[in-house]
Amino acid sequence: MALARQEAGEAVIRRIIHVDMDAFYASVEQRDNLALRGRPVAVGGSRQRGVVAAASYEARRHGVRSAMPSVTARRKCPDLVFVPPRFEVYRAVSAQIHAIFARYTTLIQPLSLDEAYLDVTEPLIEHPSATAIAQEIRSAIRAETGLTASAGVSYNKFLAKLASDYRKPDGLYVITPRMGPRFVETLPVERFHGIGPATAQRMHALGIRTGLDLRGWEMDRLACHFGRAAVFYHGIARGLDGRPVEPDRKRKSIGAERTLEQDIHHWHQAQAVLEMLVDQVWEACSKRGLGGRTVRVKIRYADFRHTGRARSVLVPVPSRAALREMAVSLMRPFFPPDMGVRLLGLTVSNLDNADMRASGTQFTLELDAS
């Protein structure tokens, strides 16, 4: 059981809330445009190579999902309305929501613009229960933003996340310590937060399909197949998760990618896209006051195979020009390609504070991966 602290020799159980906005981007668009309310809406590009960034619940009923190619989404829902994303608006609304969270606790771990974990074991405002706090937060979000949120309450992060998904949209669900182990028994492993599609397939091949199946595997046996992740899987199969809410969790990387309208074959075409990616990544790093020591490029071909290269430097990349130079040197060897390229990406990682940049510093490039 997740324990927050020891007090007078008695273990105190954590009280964790996971708040997840309902179809966030699409809901903001429907809020701000009356003509979109009640209609199937997709936020994203509607062109041939567009991708759905978010879908309203009306669209989801037709099978439209985020990350789905726009062509596929249109095929599933001919009446689908595409709207371009407005990330500045979404960030502003997210800031409103996080200000509501801050009334109740300082232990807030954002996962994205639209979801976060809150540890309310010792709330800033006295309340009878974490459930009451979650309900009050949901009411405040509705009153102050006009949007709905779902929330899960439990004694650890894993179960709080499962609980917030349980009664979406606009729902609240609580998993108590008595309920936890039994709750996970019948769930398919692909529903477990932290087990992705590839891992779920591996588990299926081993005969692990539910939480109860997973619980039947001892640690040593799990470790043979899943390495270090076995500790996490062993715990969640029993309703256990000792991870704390981490309000100061550091960002690991900053990146951007572009799915192309048409496959490209020539270096001059790739250069134009790469310039745009460099601008986006450098601007994002500058806004956050961060610099990175590892630069990685990504290429996805027409048959969806992907590859990439990365290099690391001794100090954070000091300028946009230096970032461009590294990106070009990494990308250039892939051209001309054997087949068309449908996506290019650029990521900066191993992040440090920007004041660690050494402007004009000579730095050596070291091959990090291929």
Side-chain angles (χ1 to χ4, degrees):
M1 191 172 292
L3 304 179
R5 66 186 189 280
Q6 293 288 128
E7 192 171 89
E10 184 176 335
V12 177
I13 299 172
R14 286 189 182 126
R15 298 192 294 171
I16 308 296
I17 301 172
H18 179 261
V19 180
D20 192 2
M21 300 301 295
D22 298 321
F24 183 51
Y25 296 170
S27 294
V28 170
E29 298 302 332
Q30 289 177 316
R31 180 197 68 175
D32 294 349
N33 185 345
L34 293 178
L36 297 177
R37 295 187 184 178
R39 301 179 66 186
V41 173
V43 176
S46 60
R47 296 182 181 180
Q48 184 72 16
R49 289 293 178 83
V51 176
V52 175
S56 68
Y57 282 97
E58 295 87 350
R60 294 182 190 187
R61 284 196 283 270
H62 293 271
V64 178
R65 296 288 184 270
S66 62
M68 177 180 285
S70 299
V71 171
T72 304
R74 179 79 75 185
R75 191 182 308 125
K76 287 179 175 289
C77 182
D79 295 329
L80 191 62
V81 180
F82 283 91
V83 296
R86 299 182 298 154
F87 289 108
E88 289 302 322
V89 175
Y90 308 148
R91 280 191 282 268
V93 177
S94 179
Q96 282 184 274
I97 294 164
H98 282 262
I100 294 171
F101 297 160
R103 299 170 193 169
Y104 299 91
T105 180
T106 59
L107 298 178
I108 304 166
Q109 181 181 333
L111 300 180
S112 60
L113 291 179
D114 62 339
E115 64 175 317
Y117 289 112
L118 289 69
D119 187 327
V120 294
T121 309
E122 297 178 349
L124 299 176
I125 302 172
E126 188 171 340
H127 270 75
S129 70
T131 306
I133 294 174
Q135 184 56 58
E136 197 167 296
I137 287 173
R138 292 177 62 244
S139 297
I141 289 173
R142 184 190 290 271
E144 297 176 34
T145 71
L147 303 171
T148 64
S150 295
V153 181
S154 197
Y155 56 97
N156 63 46
K157 290 164 67 173
F158 172 71
L159 290 172
K161 170 74 171 174
L162 286 180
S164 69
D165 287 337
Y166 199 64
R167 287 189 176 158
K168 265 187 164 292
D170 196 19
L172 171 63
Y173 193 72
V174 180
I175 301 176
T176 67
R178 186 183 297 273
M179 295 166 57
R182 183 67 60 85
F183 185 84
V184 301
E185 285 183 355
T186 59
L187 280 183
V189 290
E190 54 267 33
R191 289 275 306 278
F192 284 20
H193 179 60
I195 295 181
T199 301
Q201 285 187 356
R202 290 173 60 197
M203 288 186 174
H204 289 174
L206 295 168
I208 303 172
R209 295 189 171 274
T210 67
L212 189 59
D213 294 336
L214 184 57
R215 191 183 303 170
W217 282 54
E218 294 301 323
M219 179 72 76
D220 291 347
R221 193 179 175 202
L222 279 174
C224 288
H225 292 276
F226 301 103
R228 289 181 296 178
V231 176
F232 177 68
Y233 300 153
H234 187 269
I236 60 177
R238 292 157 175 78
L240 306 177
D241 177 13
R243 296 172 301 159
V245 171
E246 300 177 283
D248 297 321
R249 194 179 186 188
K250 289 186 177 180
R251 190 182 184 105
K252 294 182 179 180
S253 65
I254 294 175
E257 57 185 39
R258 177 72 179 268
T259 301
L260 308 170
E261 292 293 325
Q262 294 182 334
D263 295 343
I264 63 172
H265 298 80
H266 304 292
W267 172 238
H268 72 272
Q269 297 171 305
Q271 274 187 298
V273 178
L274 196 58
E275 290 288 348
M276 178 193 69
L277 296 176
V278 168
D279 283 342
Q280 290 179 357
V281 172
W282 184 255
E283 181 183 2
C285 288
S286 299
K287 281 184 177 179
R288 294 168 174 81
L290 296 172
R293 291 181 287 110
T294 297
V295 176
R296 182 181 299 275
V297 297
K298 172 183 176 182
I299 294 177
R300 180 174 295 152
Y301 296 106
D303 63 356
F304 287 89
R305 287 185 302 111
H306 61 85
T307 187
R309 296 177 69 210
R311 285 178 182 160
S312 295
V313 296
L314 300 179
V315 296
V317 179
S319 66
R320 183 202 175 283
L323 177 60
R324 180 188 180 281
E325 180 183 346
M326 290 182 69
V328 167
S329 69
L330 289 167
M331 187 78 75
R332 186 66 181 90
F334 292 106
F335 287 83
D338 293 333
M339 67 171 60
V341 171
R342 62 175 284 117
L343 178 146
L344 296 177
L346 174 67
T347 301
V348 173
S349 58
N350 285 328
L351 301 177
D352 288 312
N353 292 333
D355 57 13
M356 294 182 67
R357 293 181 190 149
S359 181
T361 299
Q362 299 270 331
F363 50 87
T364 304
L365 301 182
E366 303 168 351
L367 187 62
D368 176 67
S370 60

